[in-house]
Amino acid sequence: MPDRPGLATGDEIRSQPEVWRRTLERLREQTSPLRPDGGSRRLLVTGCGSTHYLAMWAARVAQRGLGVQATAAPASELLLHTDSWIDDTDQSTLLAISRSGETTETVGAVTAFRQRTPGQVIAITCEPDSALARAADEVVAVPDARERSVVQTRSFSSMALAAAWMVHGDPNDELVDGLTRTASDLLDSWEAPITSLAADDAIRRFFFLGSDSRYGFACEAMLKIKEMALEHAEAYHFHEVRHGPWSLIDEATLVVGLLGADDPSAERRVLDDARALGARTLAVGTTEAEGGADAVPLPAGIAEPWRDLLLLPLLHVLGSARAVHRGLDPDAPRNLDAVVRLDP
Ligand code: F1P
């Protein structure tokens, strides 16, 4: 008998708190290869698909945390348009992120980088024996997060955890407990409500809004809807959405806001205004006092960038539950392979 649709993806989504704990235990035995005083003035972060969106998040986290200039680029652009990103005098460090470590463009981007500059190459990957790991000077491996699914869920969040650890160092025991317990509690309390939200047939378009580092996660949430549920989804920085895409906001739209910890009132206002146009909204990351049916509160004690990770499991649930509601199998997304390998 075939497996229930989404069985593997669902297990991987729910395993995140435990996999994060194991990943952090492993990371705490290592030293971060990113050195704020290492001479590199610029960090270039790259990946493809999910891992490109992760690169966007990691670049903002690194710039804030280390005070280096950090830029994210899709690996295909680094490979095919190298001169637009890197020149011979470049002093960059390249951080390449790939679950498989085998994606052609990401491995190729490392080669293109090496041909231009002697800068350090660091890899974050679930596969320590991969082509990417072999090509890098330093490898941060996250093998506990390997997946059966094509679509990235726990690998994405665990590689994000590794990026946060590289910038901020070891989280203390209290933070590890708080992070993993909160992620578990959120899944326990919100899996059912998010699953019923995903079953709302009035929704025909999904918008994900996130500012600063969270824009990368908004893009990843958009990708989950496209890959798993085959539906129209878009991602914007909070205030960018008013500049054109606003025309698409109506009763058929769900707008999901990934709120920041610091004074999210301007972000709340965008959601309020979208509701006034008829949209359904979901605010993820409200304060505990705010609450409400379509507001997922996060505890105040977990600081960014760790707090951002708590946004992810419920976004995974939304994509997966929407796919199942539409009769699709999130474990078997259309046209996709776990690794994109291109001919030379
Ligand atoms: C990146 C990626 C995934 C995507 C797809 C193909 O892989 O683009 O984000 O979901 O199924 O591969 P990787 O380089 O992180 O292994």
Side-chain angles (χ1 to χ4, degrees):
M1 213 173 76
D3 282 346
R4 182 162 49 81
L7 191 66
T9 310
D11 284 350
E12 285 159 3
I13 292 169
R14 279 185 293 277
S15 72
Q16 286 177 100
E18 180 50 31
V19 169
W20 294 357
R21 182 182 288 282
R22 293 212 300 273
T23 296
L24 284 170
E25 273 165 20
R26 191 185 289 275
L27 293 172
R28 285 158 111 188
E29 290 165 8
Q30 306 169 36
T31 310
S32 168
L34 262 187
R35 297 175 301 271
D37 57 347
S40 176
R41 305 281 289 280
R42 180 179 178 231
L43 182 69
L44 202 48
V45 195
T46 197
C48 290
S50 289
T51 38
H52 169 231
Y53 296 142
L54 177 46
M56 287 160 54
W57 180 81
R60 302 279 47 80
V61 169
Q63 179 144 348
R64 263 178 188 261
L66 299 172
V68 293
Q69 286 295 318
T71 311
S76 53
E77 293 295 301
L78 280 187
L79 174 62
L80 299 173
H81 306 284
T82 316
D83 292 343
S84 291
W85 298 93
I86 307 162
D87 63 36
D88 296 339
T89 61
D90 207 294
Q91 297 278 308
S92 298
T93 291
L94 179 68
L95 172 59
I97 310 176
S98 170
R99 170 177 65 176
S100 62
E102 299 292 346
T103 298
T104 303
E105 295 108 304
T106 308
V107 178
V110 172
T111 308
F113 179 84
R114 293 262 194 234
Q115 284 165 356
R116 294 289 196 296
T117 153
Q120 185 193 20
V121 177
I122 303 171
I124 298 179
T125 178
C126 297
E127 300 300 335
D129 294 326
S130 58
L132 178 65
R134 285 192 294 277
D137 300 307
E138 303 269 1
V139 180
V140 176
V142 186
D144 301 288
R146 284 186 179 118
E147 286 161 330
R148 273 167 60 201
S149 297
V150 169
V151 170
Q152 299 194 11
T153 58
R154 74 181 183 196
S155 62
F156 181 97
S157 60
S158 302
M159 290 189 288
L161 201 60
W165 166 84
M166 279 173 61
V167 172
H168 289 274
D170 293 345
N172 61 29
D173 291 345
E174 196 187 338
L175 181 54
V176 176
D177 284 346
L179 189 65
T180 52
R181 201 172 356 92
T182 306
S184 255
D185 292 347
L186 284 169
L187 281 164
D188 289 348
S189 318
W190 284 93
E191 189 173 355
I194 300 275
T195 301
S196 25
L197 175 65
D200 182 347
D201 286 319
I203 299 168
R204 293 197 301 279
R205 278 189 291 282
F206 294 79
F207 277 61
F208 294 94
L209 307 181
S211 287
D212 201 359
S213 55
R214 287 169 301 285
Y215 177 60
F217 285 3
C219 292
E220 174 62 4
M222 163 187 76
L223 190 64
K224 296 303 92 170
I225 294 289
K226 290 178 177 170
E227 289 180 319
M228 291 197 262
L230 307 183
E231 279 190 275
H232 179 187
E234 304 195 15
Y236 293 95
H237 298 92
F238 258 95
H239 285 76
E240 267 297 297
V241 72
R242 292 187 197 270
H243 297 274
W246 207 234
S247 309
L248 288 168
I249 306 285
D250 61 15
E251 297 77 8
T253 316
L254 173 68
V255 183
V256 179
L258 311 185
L259 302 185
D262 302 331
D263 189 18
S265 54
E267 298 178 345
R268 294 301 301 267
R269 175 88 191 272
V270 178
L271 296 182
D272 292 345
D273 291 350
R275 251 194 327 276
L277 293 172
R280 189 152 181 197
T281 64
L282 176 68
V284 188
T286 56
T287 64
E288 273 157 302
E290 284 172 303
D294 285 345
V296 180
L298 294 182
I302 300 172
E304 291 169 357
W306 312 100
R307 175 190 184 274
D308 288 352
L309 294 164
L310 296 169
L311 303 166
L312 292 169
L314 299 182
L315 300 171
H316 298 150
V317 169
L318 180 65
S320 172
R322 181 69 174 185
V324 172
H325 175 67
R326 282 168 47 80
L328 300 166
D329 182 358
D331 293 353
R334 188 171 75 177
N335 304 342
L336 295 182
D337 293 315
V339 186
V340 176
R341 288 188 174 88
L342 303 177
D343 291 336

